[in-house]
Amino acid sequence: MGFIANAICLTYIDKVGRKLPLAWTSLALGVEMMLIMVFTKYFANTTNKIGQGWTIAWIFLFSFIFSLGYNAIQLLYIAEIFPTALRSRGTAICAFLGTGVGLIFNQLSPRAFEAIGWRYYAVFMVCNVISSITYFLVFPETKGKTLEEITEIFGDKVAFNEHIGTLSPASDDTQETDKDGKSVKVDYSHAE
């Protein structure tokens, strides 16, 4: 399921962007968790084979939706939003934390299911809904932007602007400010 969904994701990620697929995927996963929770409550301990079959189908569909909008996009988005100097460390930390949280849930979930049963799915449902709202309202879109433009979105100084300046060669104004705030004269006569 994941392989097929990831392949589909790669066909639209640069056309649609990152923000909307993450937001809609989170919302869809929240709905999926609700369906799994309801079907588990009513059919898990029954002899209703159709209800149990749908419960399993919702779990498979969850895997498909997750890979359709999260698997590839989350790693790409993480790599894009970090400044160049922090990109490898930031991506590694995010991957480590993501794996760590997954391991924690893998260890705690059997106990949680034992203690509260089907209600435990509500934790994931709420987390996905909160994530969806956060993606819609907070996260900036990075589609079609250069790494320098993305850096500016997050309020970081761009190395090019900091060291070279932002005036175009056609500009009549030859006064700029260096990184220490001192006024310097810039000669653009040799620029193409």
Side-chain angles (χ1 to χ4, degrees):
M1 298 292 285
F3 176 77
I4 295 167
N6 273 316
I8 293 169
C9 175
L10 293 175
T11 64
Y12 69 78
I13 190 171
D14 284 329
K15 296 173 190 163
V16 177
R18 288 84 163 117
K19 177 181 176 172
L20 289 178
L22 287 170
W24 286 111
T25 299
S26 290
L27 194 58
L29 293 176
V31 170
E32 273 292 308
M33 281 289 113
M34 181 188 67
L35 289 169
I36 293 169
M37 182 173 69
V38 169
F39 275 73
T40 300
K41 176 184 177 184
Y42 290 108
F43 300 113
N45 297 317
T46 69
T47 57
N48 186 329
K49 297 294 183 193
I50 294 174
Q52 291 174 346
W54 276 105
T55 305
I56 293 168
W58 296 132
I59 292 170
F60 275 95
L61 187 58
F62 181 92
S63 297
F64 185 79
I65 292 170
F66 180 86
S67 294
L68 192 62
Y70 256 135
N71 240 6
I73 297 176
Q74 68 178 341
L75 298 173
L76 175 65
Y77 194 84
I78 288 168
E80 287 178 337
I81 63 173
F82 281 106
T84 306
L86 299 175
R87 186 162 293 124
S88 60
R89 287 186 203 133
T91 304
I93 289 169
C94 288
F96 174 77
L97 291 175
T99 303
V101 169
L103 287 172
I104 289 169
F105 275 112
N106 283 335
Q107 296 302 311
L108 295 179
S109 292
R111 293 183 182 145
F113 277 118
E114 203 174 293
I116 60 174
W118 58 269
R119 293 171 192 86
Y120 184 57
Y121 286 115
V123 172
F124 301 106
M125 183 178 66
V126 170
C127 288
N128 278 298
V129 170
I130 290 171
S131 294
S132 180
I133 292 167
T134 304
Y135 287 130
F136 275 122
L137 299 178
V138 178
F139 280 48
E141 179 57 68
T142 59
K143 176 190 87 164
K145 295 185 177 9
T146 65
L147 292 176
E148 291 79 15
E149 290 170 328
I150 294 169
T151 301
E152 286 181 19
I153 290 172
F154 286 95
D156 298 323
K157 288 186 176 182
V158 178
F160 178 80
N161 290 342
E162 182 178 330
H163 298 293
I164 307 282
T166 56
L167 291 177
S168 68
S171 175
D172 291 334
D173 188 2
T174 58
Q175 290 294 320
E176 290 190 20
T177 305
D178 68 7
K179 65 180 181 177
D180 298 322
K182 297 177 186 171
S183 183
V184 293
K185 187 165 180 91
V186 179
D187 179 17
Y188 284 117
S189 61
H190 62 281
E192 293 181 18

